[in-house]
Amino acid sequence: MKGLVLKSTGNIYKVKQETGDVIECRIKGKLRLNGIRSTNPIAVGDYVIYDLENEKSGLITDIADRKNYIIRKASNLSKESQIIAANIDMAYIVVTIHSPQTLLQFVDRFLVTAEAYDIPCTILINKSDLFQSSEDQAVIDEWKEIYRLAGYEVLCISTKTGQNMDELQKRLAGKVSVLSGNSGVGKTSIIKAVTNLTELKTSEISKSFHKGQHTTTFAEMYETTNGGAIIDTPGVKAFGLLNMESEEISQYFPEIFKYSSDCQYYNCTHSHEPNCNVIKAVEEGKIALSRYKNYLAFMDDKNAKHREAQ
Ligand SMILES: Nc1nc2c(ncn2[C@@H]2O[C@H](COP(=O)(O)OP(=O)(O)OP(=O)(O)O)[C@@H](O)[C@H]2O)c(=O)[nH]1
Ligand SMILES: [Mg+2]
Ligand SMILES: [Zn+2]
């Protein structure tokens, strides 16, 4: 039988059967793992083949080919990676300008990862009810401009006032979407709003953050009220860059990639070369400086790693 993994908690998997009933499964023996080195062989969003043991439990015998998946490495140096979710149509990175503050480098690392897996991404600035001062508004305008130039949609939302929640809801219909972001930015609160599952656990950042705990501990998929599926994930502190060559990085900054076709040198790194069209675009304000700086920082990371490995 074939089912959809809604949640994975180490060795127990919550699987939705074709009948709609949900059962608990374990893995039978060892599974073939398509060469992905990860801490979790099966992730939320995976389709699995299983044998029923009884009405409530089953044994997973195989995993269906994935359309795609998104992986996170805890840091640049860590070898182990974790599959965040599989078979997704859309990724949302949830950010807040403060309470807590999301760093743009974190956003850009996430976006590079999503680009590498060819998963479209939208940025949700949550808690807009808190960002009413003119200083906050200026930061919001700046973030919107940075990502507009890069070609990403940015939506300002608030689960408290409901701002733009209907716009978000519309985008979720008929798709499998995943929410990612730092702990405390309101991922689970958003899920509650679009699913009507009021019993989900959220908590004040002050309580969870200081203990170094995340409120959500396992990724889980839920149904939205309009026929979509949405995956809640535990908050993450950092995103390590994947194993990619430094030349690849520019491909995952869509705006840098776009302007790079007119650089003088085909192997231009856009860092110092003469007649670099990317540097020109940065100077003309067509590429945001923060994005360009993060591009250079990611290139540096990769080069440092190469030197270490030698
Ligand atoms: N002011 C305001 N607070 C919000 C909003 N959305 C969520 N919060 C609050 O932010 C805190 C954290 O929300 P959660 O939904 O638990 O955050 P999370 O991203 O799921 O956190 P982790 O599960 O730890 O990753 C809670 O106190 C929420 O009530 C919002 O739009 N405005
Ligand atoms: Mg949560
Ligand atoms: Zn260049």
Side-chain angles (χ1 to χ4, degrees):
M1 271 175 281
K2 196 175 172 190
L4 170 66
V5 177
L6 300 180
K7 184 180 188 179
S8 136
T9 55
N11 45 7
I12 304 281
Y13 299 88
K14 203 166 146 183
V15 174
K16 186 168 131 193
Q17 300 185 273
E18 274 169 351
T19 58
D21 294 337
V22 177
I23 56 167
E24 283 198 343
C25 292
R26 279 166 300 127
I27 298 180
K28 186 176 181 180
K30 276 221 150 116
L31 286 185
R32 290 174 292 110
L33 281 177
N34 327 330
I36 305 170
R37 192 158 155 195
S38 85
T39 48
N40 57 333
I42 298 179
V44 54
D46 266 324
Y47 283 93
V48 290
I49 313 297
Y50 62 93
D51 295 328
L52 270 184
E53 284 184 306
N54 55 48
E55 262 180 30
K56 291 202 170 107
S57 70
L59 285 176
I60 296 172
T61 55
D62 205 357
I63 165 171
D65 286 342
R66 293 180 173 131
K67 174 175 96 170
N68 63 21
Y69 54 87
I70 185 160
I71 278 192
R72 183 177 90 89
K73 284 209 305 170
S75 73
N76 281 337
L77 294 173
S78 64
K79 292 213 170 60
E80 289 282 331
S81 52
Q82 190 196 8
I83 304 173
I84 302 175
N87 302 316
I88 40 197
D89 299 313
M90 189 77 205
Y92 290 88
I93 175 149
V94 184
V95 304
T96 42
I97 63 170
H98 58 72
S99 323
Q101 185 194 13
T102 304
L103 300 177
L104 292 186
Q105 180 155 134
F106 174 86
V107 177
D108 290 338
R109 280 176 188 275
F110 183 83
L111 293 175
V112 163
T113 308
E115 290 293 338
Y117 287 107
D118 214 7
I119 296 167
C121 196
T122 283
I123 297 156
L124 300 177
I125 305 181
N126 188 32
K127 309 197 187 183
S128 60
D129 56 294
L130 297 180
F131 311 140
Q132 297 300 322
S133 72
S134 51
E135 289 89 347
D136 286 351
Q137 276 303 315
V139 176
I140 301 244
D141 289 344
E142 188 193 340
W143 285 20
K144 279 185 168 165
E145 181 63 6
I146 290 171
Y147 292 102
R148 185 189 66 78
L149 289 172
Y152 294 100
E153 189 188 19
V154 181
L155 210 54
C156 278
I157 60 168
S158 167
T159 67
K160 289 269 145 70
T161 64
Q163 188 196 350
N164 276 332
M165 290 306 287
D166 50 343
E167 279 300 315
L168 173 61
Q169 185 75 271
K170 266 191 234 160
R171 287 163 179 69
L172 302 175
K175 288 192 176 152
V176 179
S177 306
V178 61
L179 297 188
S180 190
N182 295 140
S183 186
V185 294
K187 297 177 294 298
T188 305
S189 306
I190 295 169
I191 304 249
K192 272 176 149 172
V194 298
T195 59
N196 290 336
L197 293 169
T198 46
E199 75 278 11
L200 296 182
K201 235 172 91 184
T202 58
S203 79
E204 306 260 336
I205 328 154
S206 50
K207 283 189 208 136
S208 56
F209 216 59
H210 293 302
K211 281 189 273 170
Q213 278 172 4
H214 299 163
T215 309
T216 305
T217 43
F218 293 105
E220 183 159 0
M221 185 190 281
Y222 303 97
E223 279 170 24
T224 69
T225 50
N226 61 350
I230 188 158
I231 301 170
D232 194 6
T233 63
V236 288
K237 279 215 185 70
F239 245 92
L241 281 188
L242 302 158
N243 297 322
M244 53 178 83
E245 291 303 319
S246 50
E247 307 84 74
E248 274 180 273
I249 295 179
S250 67
Q251 294 174 26
Y252 302 136
F253 279 81
E255 74 278 46
I256 291 182
F257 187 63
K258 183 174 108 189
Y259 287 104
S260 68
S261 55
D262 287 329
C263 290
Q264 182 176 345
Y265 300 103
Y266 79 94
N267 58 352
C268 186
T269 63
H270 326 301
S271 55
H272 61 276
E273 292 87 344
N275 299 323
C276 168
N277 197 45
V278 170
I279 296 177
K280 183 164 165 260
V282 174
E283 285 165 357
E284 290 171 353
K286 293 175 183 156
I287 292 175
L289 192 57
S290 79
R291 292 272 294 168
Y292 178 63
K293 282 186 173 162
N294 284 339
Y295 160 75
L296 293 179
F298 297 171
M299 295 279 284
D300 259 2
D301 277 5
K302 284 290 156 195
N303 293 335
K305 221 179 136 191
H306 268 288
R307 282 195 297 275
E308 241 164 64
Q310 275 163 9

